[in-house]
Amino acid sequence: MDESSSSLSSGQNEVRSSSSAVQAKSSSSAKVYTNYDPVTGILTDERDGEKYKTAKIGDQIWMGENLRYIDNETSVDCYLWDKKISDSVATQYGRHYSWMVATQLSCDWDYVLTSTSDTPVIVEPLQGICPDGWHVPSLSEWTTLFSSAPIGSLLSTQWKEILHGYDGTDDYGFSLQLGRYEVEDFQEFIMIEEYSKSENYTIAVYHDEKPVHLRREPKTQHFAYLRCLKD
């Protein structure tokens, strides 16, 4: 079920709020982190030394690249789909993660899938696999992003109107790219919301006249990119 950017607000009402849950590896706003330089706008992931540009848009600070961290400690049941892609591909596009890997929730499917609105397993902000001081964004936070800047200003300069209906100007350095044509025709991003016992929403950026959509995918099987947001 896809929806255009104009329906993002209504989509918010369809996704259950999980702000009062028992937290699974969440960020702490009280701790001071030194991995982000506000002068250069560079985030350094201290786990592997990878550096990411960032983008300040309104009151938000986003990673300006897709996460490429490899979590070697995650169980094989939380399979990372393109863990073995080349470094050059990972540097350009980032890596795909399952919802379980991104959120760092238990690989016990029964535990996660029995979550209900009365007993959710997420509290915001949820760090998940993001660097310290950053978290997996929510639908509300993606909605804020797309309401803070024209879509063309968030797209990379790869986007050309003659081909895709938009000229990407990348004014903020957010650099939403075209997909890797050998494996995808759009980029799709993980959000923390639980839509139902077996499905969750993702944000998809399509190669057509309405590039921002909501997409519903199974959380236990689907893989997508991850853009972390500063706490």
Side-chain angles (χ1 to χ4, degrees):
M1 178 177 69
D2 294 342
E3 302 178 34
S4 69
S5 56
S6 62
S7 61
L8 283 176
S9 329
S10 61
Q12 281 182 281
N13 296 326
E14 299 177 21
V15 180
R16 298 199 310 269
S17 170
S18 53
S19 59
S20 60
V22 176
Q23 189 170 15
K25 192 183 178 185
S26 70
S27 305
S28 171
S29 58
K31 185 175 179 180
V32 176
Y33 300 104
T34 59
N35 55 6
Y36 170 70
D37 185 338
V39 177
T40 62
I42 298 296
L43 163 66
T44 302
D45 191 335
E46 296 171 337
R47 299 169 297 184
D48 57 10
E50 287 286 310
K51 296 183 183 296
Y52 299 88
K53 68 175 185 174
T54 62
K56 187 177 189 307
I57 305 163
D59 294 328
Q60 297 177 319
I61 299 176
W62 290 79
M63 289 174 56
E65 305 172 59
N66 298 339
L67 188 69
R68 44 186 179 266
Y69 176 69
I70 295 178
D71 179 16
N72 289 313
E73 297 181 0
T74 298
S75 163
V76 68
D77 292 333
C78 289
Y79 182 53
L80 176 61
W81 177 47
D82 59 1
K83 184 174 181 177
K84 295 183 178 180
I85 64 172
S86 69
D87 290 342
S88 60
V89 171
T91 297
Q92 182 175 357
Y93 293 100
R95 299 182 186 276
H96 289 94
Y97 299 92
S98 69
W99 188 83
M100 293 295 192
V101 170
T103 59
Q104 294 286 281
L105 292 176
S106 170
C107 286
D108 180 350
W109 305 136
D110 290 337
Y111 164 70
V112 175
L113 298 184
T114 54
S115 171
T116 68
S117 57
D118 294 326
T119 59
V121 296
I122 295 176
V123 159
E124 301 176 34
L126 183 72
Q127 178 182 345
I129 201 174
C130 292
D132 286 343
W134 299 69
H135 62 270
V136 181
S138 66
L139 171 60
S140 174
E141 289 167 330
W142 275 104
T143 302
T144 296
L145 170 68
F146 289 119
S147 65
S148 299
I151 181 62
S153 67
L154 302 176
L155 301 177
S156 79
T157 54
Q158 293 176 328
W159 291 76
K160 301 298 180 185
E161 183 173 4
I162 190 172
L163 296 176
H164 307 292
Y166 278 84
D167 274 329
T169 57
D170 203 15
D171 295 335
Y172 299 91
F174 193 68
S175 306
L176 282 177
Q177 301 183 72
L178 300 174
R180 290 166 52 196
Y181 281 103
E182 68 274 20
V183 296
E184 63 200 2
D185 59 358
F186 56 88
Q187 290 213 15
E188 195 167 359
F189 298 91
I190 290 172
M191 298 186 294
I192 65 169
E193 272 81 9
E194 299 168 88
Y195 175 74
S196 70
K197 289 185 178 181
S198 63
E199 295 179 303
N200 67 294
Y201 278 119
T202 56
I203 286 285
V205 183
Y206 282 82
H207 298 172
D208 62 18
E209 72 281 0
K210 293 180 179 178
V212 179
H213 299 260
L214 289 179
R215 183 180 178 91
R216 194 176 69 190
E217 295 290 351
K219 67 175 67 172
T220 57
Q221 300 174 7
H222 191 65
F223 302 91
Y225 294 107
L226 177 60
R227 286 289 182 101
C228 300
L229 179 63
K230 192 174 185 301
D231 295 351

